[in-house]
């Protein structure tokens, strides 16, 4: 048990150091090159949502730039049932668990449009949640999300998105 704990602590520390080096490297790039790298990293994650996939090509790079990377540890709560939200989240790396009230649903359930329901069960990388927060005046989370693994999320705020024109 101690070996497993030490290993997990090592992995967490190594990932944090790698992320810190990545941020340091990004800070040394010219503003234009930093933008290009950020767009390249974030674009494939954002276009998973139909809104961003259909976004005009001149605006998508700006959305990629305003997405904020968040590192979370296993057990971290990202949002809780009843919280008013003004941002959506994309799972870039790792895995989150979504509990819809007290009832869990299969993450592979499909809604009427044939899209995977991102609001239930286990959600791996290449998933998203909280999109309603971008498209409604006020949205209260009907579910709780916590990280199952070391996770990188991209957070995109409604106010930042509305500034894009």
């Amino acid at each position: 048990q101690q070996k497993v704990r030490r290993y997990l602590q090592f992995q967490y520390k190594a990932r944090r150091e790698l992320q810190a080096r990545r941020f340091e490297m990004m800070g040394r790039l010219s503003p234009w090159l930093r933008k290009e790298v950020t767009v390249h990293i974030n674009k494939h994650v954002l276009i998973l949502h139909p809104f961003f996939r259909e976004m005009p090509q001149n605006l998508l790079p700006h959305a990629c730039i305003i997405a904020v990377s968040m590192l979370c540890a296993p057990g971290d709560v990202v949002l809780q049932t009843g919280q008013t939200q003004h941002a959506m989240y994309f799972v870039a790396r790792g895995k989150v668990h979504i509990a819809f009230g007290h009832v869990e649903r299969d993450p592979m359930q499909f809604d009427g449009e044939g899209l995977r329901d991102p609001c239930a069960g286990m959600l791996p990388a290449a998933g998203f949640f909280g999109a309603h927060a971008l498209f409604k005046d006020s949205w209260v989370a009907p579910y709780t999300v916590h990280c199952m693994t070391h996770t990188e999320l991209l957070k995109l705020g409604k106010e930042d998105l509305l500034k894009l024109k």
Side-chain angles (χ1 to χ4, degrees), residues 43-86:
K43 182 179 179 179
H44 74 280
V45 177
L46 265 58
I47 62 172
L48 296 169
H49 190 280
F51 176 76
F52 295 98
R53 192 169 38 252
E54 301 299 323
M55 182 176 265
Q57 289 302 307
N58 63 326
L59 288 181
L60 184 58
H62 298 291
C64 293
I65 296 297
I66 61 175
V68 177
S69 176
M70 297 172 45
L71 294 179
C72 303
D76 284 357
V77 175
V78 179
L79 62 92
Q80 288 185 306
T81 302
Q83 283 183 329
T84 300
Q85 289 293 310
H86 302 287

Side-chain angles (χ1 to χ4, degrees), residues 5 10 16 29-30 33 38 44-46 51 65 76 79 81 89 100 105 112 124-125 128 131 136 138 155 158:
R5 182 174 180 221
F10 167 77
R16 292 207 53 120
L29 298 176
S30 69
L33 192 53
T38 302
H44 74 280
V45 177
L46 265 58
F51 176 76
I65 296 297
D76 284 357
L79 62 92
T81 302
Y89 299 85
F100 205 106
R105 297 187 297 166
F128 57 85
K136 293 187 175 187
S138 180
K155 179 180 179 182
K158 179 179 180 175

Side-chain angles (χ1 to χ4, degrees), residues 87-105:
M88 82 175 288
Y89 299 85
F90 295 86
V91 183
R93 287 184 206 37
K95 193 183 309 182
V96 298
H97 181 264
I98 301 177
F100 205 106
H102 294 294
V103 179
E104 294 182 22
R105 297 187 297 166

Side-chain angles (χ1 to χ4, degrees), residues 85-86 130-140 158 162:
Q85 289 293 310
H86 302 287
H132 292 85
L134 296 184
F135 306 109
K136 293 187 175 187
D137 289 333
S138 180
W139 183 70
V140 177
K158 179 179 180 175
L162 288 174

